[in-house]
C-alpha cells in the first residue's frame, strides 16, 4: 500500500512513523515539500528512507513570501533522483494567506516548471474551483488533485482524466457528498493519502496523522465503491506507479 501525500518533515520522528507504516503494510510514501526549507527536508528524507519519494513545490500560502521568488532553488531541488512531482502548488482562496493574483502567478509558474521537466503536478485547491480548473485545463501534463474536497472540480477532473486523491476527511460522518464523489472516480484515477500530520481519519481523529493511517482511508473508499480494501489498495498502487512514474 502507498500513502501518496504526507508531510513527513512536519511529523514527529519520521523514522518511527515510517516503521509503523511498514508494520501496517504501507511500504511507500510520497513526502511533500511546501517551501524551500520544507522541500530540502523532504528530499533528505526521501534520500535516506527506503520506499520514500519526494514531491517538491511552493504552497499557495507561500505566494507572498520570499520563497515565491526562489524558483531557481526549487528547480535545482527538482533535479534530485528521488523527486517524482512538482507540488504541492495551487490556489487557496479560503485562507487567503497570500493575494489571489500572486497565488495564480506562482501556480502558473509551477505548472510551467512541471511541464518543462515532464513531472506530474500535485495540486491544492480550496474555494477556487473555477480558477483551478481553468489553469489546469491548459496544462499538458499529469495532474493529481490532492486531498480532494472541492466537489466543483469533479466534472473537469473526470473530463480531463486527472488523478483524484482522497484523504482522511472522506471517512468523517458528515462527508456523504465526498464519499459519493469517490464512488464516481474511475478505478484507474483514484489515489489515497494521509496528508500527515493533518486530517487523521475517523478512527484516529483528534490525534496527529501518520502514513500508517492511510489503511483507514482505503477501507472507507473501498466500502463506498463496493470492492475489497485489498483490491483497492492494489489498484491504487498501480495508479500511483503510473501517476508518479515510480520505479
Amino acid at each position: 500500500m502507498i500513502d501518496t501525500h504526507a508531510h513527513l518533515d512536519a511529523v514527529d520522528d519520521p523514522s518511527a512513523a515510517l516503521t509503523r507504516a511498514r508494520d501496517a503494510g504501507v511500504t511507500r510514501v510520497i513526502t511533500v515539500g511546501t517551501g524551500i526549507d520544507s522541500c530540502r527536508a523532504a528530499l533528505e528524507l526521501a534520500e535516506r528512507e527506503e520506499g520514500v519519494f519526494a514531491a517538491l513545490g511552493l504552497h499557495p500560502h507561500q505566494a507572498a513570501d520570499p520563497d515565491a521568488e526562489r524558483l531557481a532553488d526549487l528547480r535545482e531541488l527538482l533535479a534530485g533522483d528521488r523527486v517524482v512531482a512538482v507540488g504541492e502548488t495551487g490556489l487557496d482562496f479560503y485562507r487567503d494567506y497570500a493575494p489571489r493574483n500572486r497565488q495564480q502567478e506562482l501556480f502558473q509558474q509551477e505548472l510551467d516548471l512541471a511541464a518543462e521537466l515532464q513531472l506530474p503536478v500535485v495540486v491544492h485547491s480550496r474555494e477556487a474551483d473555477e480558477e483551478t480548473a481553468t489553469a489546469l485545463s491548459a496544462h499538458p501534463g499529469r495532474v493529481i488533485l490532492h486531498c480532494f474536497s472541492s466537489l466543483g472540480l469533479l466534472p473537469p477532473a473526470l473530463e480531463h482524466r486527472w488523478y483524484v486523491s482522497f484523504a482522511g476527511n472522506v471517512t468523517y460522518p458528515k462527508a456523504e457528498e465526498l464519499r459519493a464523489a469517490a464512488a464516481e472516480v474511475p478505478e484507474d484515477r483514484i489515489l489515497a493519502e494521509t496528508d500527515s500530520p493533518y486530517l487523521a481519519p475517523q478512527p484516529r481523529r483528534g490525534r496527529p496523522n501518520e502514513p500508517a493511517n492511510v489503511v483507514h482511508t482505503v477501507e472507507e473508499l473501498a466500502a463506498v465503491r463496493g470492492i475489497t480494501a485489498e483490491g483497492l489498495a492494489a489498484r491504487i498502487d498501480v495508479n500511483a506507479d503510473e501517476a508518479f512514474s515510480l520505479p
Side-chain angles (χ1 to χ4, degrees):
M1 194 179 300
I2 184 169
D3 177 1
T4 64
H5 192 113
H7 299 278
L8 290 178
D9 62 307
V11 170
D12 290 338
D13 198 345
S15 293
L18 286 167
T19 296
R20 290 189 292 272
R22 294 173 188 125
D23 289 344
V26 182
T27 57
R28 297 188 295 174
V29 178
I30 296 175
T31 187
V32 180
T34 56
I36 296 301
D37 290 344
S38 173
C39 286
R40 291 191 194 283
L43 187 54
E44 288 171 5
L45 278 162
E47 291 172 342
R48 184 174 74 241
E49 295 283 355
E50 181 181 359
V52 177
F53 305 90
L56 308 180
L58 302 175
H59 194 282
H61 292 342
Q62 312 293 328
D65 294 347
D67 270 9
E69 306 300 326
R70 299 180 65 185
L71 286 168
D73 291 334
L74 178 60
R75 178 192 294 272
E76 181 178 341
L77 291 169
L78 287 167
D81 290 340
R82 303 292 287 180
V83 174
V84 296
V86 174
E88 75 189 80
T89 181
L91 302 172
D92 193 317
F93 292 174
Y94 176 74
R95 297 290 184 188
D96 269 339
Y97 287 158
R100 295 182 178 186
N101 65 319
R102 287 293 296 120
Q103 291 188 47
Q104 290 174 294
E105 180 181 349
L106 180 61
F107 186 25
Q108 188 59 55
Q109 289 172 324
E110 292 185 82
L111 289 176
D112 292 344
L113 188 56
E116 176 189 340
L117 299 177
Q118 297 185 321
L119 288 170
V121 62
V122 176
V123 177
H124 170 113
S125 181
R126 197 166 183 195
E127 301 291 338
D129 292 357
E130 183 177 348
E131 294 84 355
T132 299
T134 297
L136 291 177
S137 294
H139 180 66
R142 285 162 288 164
V143 170
I144 297 94
L145 297 178
H146 134 74
C147 191
F148 185 79
S149 58
S150 298
L151 299 177
L153 282 175
L154 186 60
L158 299 179
E159 177 185 353
H160 295 283
R161 289 184 52 76
W162 299 331
Y163 290 90
V164 182
S165 184
F166 293 90
N169 54 335
V170 76
T171 69
Y172 296 167
K174 296 182 179 180
E176 293 93 347
E177 290 185 340
L178 192 54
R179 286 190 286 274
E184 293 187 46
V185 177
E187 67 172 4
D188 64 345
R189 286 297 180 269
I190 192 168
L191 298 170
E193 62 175 85
T194 60
D195 201 19
S196 297
Y198 318 108
L199 287 177
Q202 189 65 27
R204 297 289 187 270
R205 198 169 182 181
R207 288 175 263 181
N209 204 4
E210 59 180 68
N213 293 333
V214 74
V215 298
H216 301 292
T217 300
V218 170
E219 288 170 356
E220 187 70 33
L221 291 171
V224 302
R225 294 171 69 86
I227 60 175
T228 67
E230 294 79 10
L232 182 58
R235 179 71 248 189
I236 288 173
D237 259 17
V238 171
N239 294 349
D241 287 344
E242 296 174 351
F244 295 101
S245 298
L246 297 178

